[in-house]
Amino acid sequence: MIAEMGWASASEIAHAVASGDRSALAVTEAALARIKRLNPKLNAFTTVTVERALARAAAIDRARSQGRNLGPLAGVPFAVKNLFDVEGIPTVAGSRINRDHPKAPRDATLIERLEGAGAVLVGALNMGEYAYDFTGENAHDGPSRNPHDPTRMTGGSSGGSGGAVAGGLVPIALGSDTNGSIRVPSSFCGIFGLKPTYGRLSRARSFPFVASLDHLGPFARNVKDLALAYDAMQGHDADDPVCAARPVEHAAPELGRGVDGVRIAVAGGYFRKGAFAEAIEAMERVGNALDVRREVDIPGAEQARSAAYVITATEGAALHLPRLRSRARDFDPAVRDRLIAGALVPAALVNQAQKFRRWYRERVLELFREVDVILAPATPCAAPKIGQQTFTLDGVETPLRPNIGIYTQPISFIGLPVVTVPVPLKPLPIGVQIITAPWREDIALAVAEVLEQARVALAPQPDL
Amino acid sequence: MTRRRKKQAARNPAPKRRKAAPRALPDPLDDFITAGARALDLAIDKSWMTAVREHLRVTLAHGAKVASCPLPDDAEPAPVFKA
């Protein structure tokens, strides 16, 4: 029997529903009640799909009564960043402009796959406008609020996803990560997040930001749930030309194998610059728990971050150029002014950034011949105050918004898989990135599980 | 100057020139932004200019950092087209 549904894991819920201990309808009604109670405080949800969720839950209960297989996520409530297409509502992507779009005719592939595994969609989540954001703030919907301190940022751009999972509104949420938008909210909100290899999970029917850098992935409060959600979403999808034609490589059954023989190193050089005391402490705790004695320098990491910055600015601007012409005043000013600047960047710099990207990828893959895992901070600091404009990096006062992702950008730039684990420091948690070679999400999840079992990484329950 | 002119000048001294208030030099990026926006058919409100300029300055600095990395002429960009 599950004592407290708000903090129950997805696997506990699925077990309870499959065994008949709880009905899917009861689980869904409890989730909807939590959302109703806590969302005014956290501002995580922009749409709650009440009727759809109740109908879906009732269908699961009928299926159980008929003895049908319910799937590994039976009755598990989940929600998605509002850039995923949800049938019947416009895909707003955090913007005012997209509210004028027609209703989406079909769900995003990843929603279809999670529901195919028995999960129940309960709504769409707040996000930074058009995903050009690391804060979780939104000029139109208001800021997502951190469950550990609602005066603080959730991180972005998947801010509502971070807040909804960390606040116990849902056990699983989906987000997107172009430069760090899964890993930053995971860090600030104290939860687990998986940014898979570029091309692993389908992006079909989600609103893009930077096509050559966009990833989708799950958030959860424990490693098993993260792996279950990831496994349910794997598989080729012809609707996303980037989605790789690889076989499904289930990670959940591999959990529990430990990390014997896994070669783990800490990222030095660039990744040691600018870290606040809490980021350093989190790295030390994780490194000590795994008995890491090796440090590696990721060659060209600083330039990689710069190249990601240039490609993001220019590809993002190219995507939004028609809207910048016709509806510039309807953008969040903080996003609009960056996009306009991006539209003006000379093409020669973009081409050089794309050439550098290939060079850098080859150097980093060489590094992965020597090690299996690289650890790096997820963010330079724990969650800042909502509205904070600057912070001090390496003794220099620096704009906050574009620089929260200094440690995430060089990694997603070449599509490496990363599990971000929460280190439960007081008063606020902070995340550490577990980075592996392409297509080795299984190793990152195994390392995360070892840290979770040692209670070095865990999602702290907020007092709400 | 003739003697008559000198006398006239003494009677009607030229008005003192007022010192012009110091004017900030136009930022060289402003011309680039204005021309680029015109070419792209983008209307930039004057009140947005400071933020756009600063974002562009930062982005160009990142671009320069990447451009300073020597790469061979035959280096392929990351996206490779396949026919």
Side-chain angles (χ1 to χ4, degrees), chain A residues 10-34:
Chain A
S11 60
E12 286 172 331
I13 291 170
H15 183 262
V17 169
S19 67
D21 190 18
R22 292 283 172 103
S23 70
L25 196 58
V27 171
T28 303
E29 285 171 342
L32 294 172
R34 277 197 309 282

Side-chain angles (χ1 to χ4, degrees), chain A residues 148-310:
Chain A
H148 297 285
D149 177 351
T151 67
R152 292 186 181 270
M153 295 174 181
T154 52
S157 60
S158 311
S161 308
V165 172
L169 282 69
V170 284
I172 289 171
L174 300 184
S176 67
D177 188 317
T178 302
N179 284 294
S181 290
I182 288 175
R183 293 161 288 161
V184 169
S186 296
S187 179
F188 285 177
C189 293
I191 54 175
F192 294 84
L194 169 60
K195 185 207 77 61
T197 309
Y198 181 74
R200 171 73 88 173
L201 296 184
S202 170
R203 308 168 307 172
R205 297 180 295 284
S206 65
F207 197 84
F209 173 25
V210 181
S212 71
L213 297 174
D214 287 342
H215 310 66
L216 303 181
F219 297 82
R221 294 190 294 269
N222 64 74
V223 178
K224 187 176 180 185
D225 287 0
L226 200 65
L228 286 171
Y230 165 63
D231 285 353
M233 294 188 290
Q234 285 189 50
H236 177 61
D237 182 7
D239 289 346
D240 175 5
V242 166
C243 190
R246 287 181 70 88
V248 173
E249 294 164 308
H250 284 123
E254 301 297 316
L255 293 177
R257 71 185 182 190
V259 292
D260 283 352
V262 175
R263 300 164 299 171
I264 306 175
V266 169
Y270 171 82
F271 292 90
R272 291 234 183 249
K273 291 182 194 164
F276 286 41
E278 60 266 31
I280 294 168
E281 185 181 345
M283 284 294 294
E284 282 176 359
R285 285 194 189 190
V286 167
N288 290 339
L290 296 168
D291 195 23
V292 178
R293 295 156 196 264
R294 182 167 182 187
E295 182 171 310
V296 293
D297 194 10
I298 299 180
E302 185 174 356
Q303 290 85 353
R305 191 262 168 148
S306 288
Y309 200 103
V310 170

Side-chain angles (χ1 to χ4, degrees), chain A residues 307-320:
Chain A
Y309 200 103
V310 170
I311 292 170
T312 299
T314 53
E315 270 195 49
L319 172 69
H320 290 291

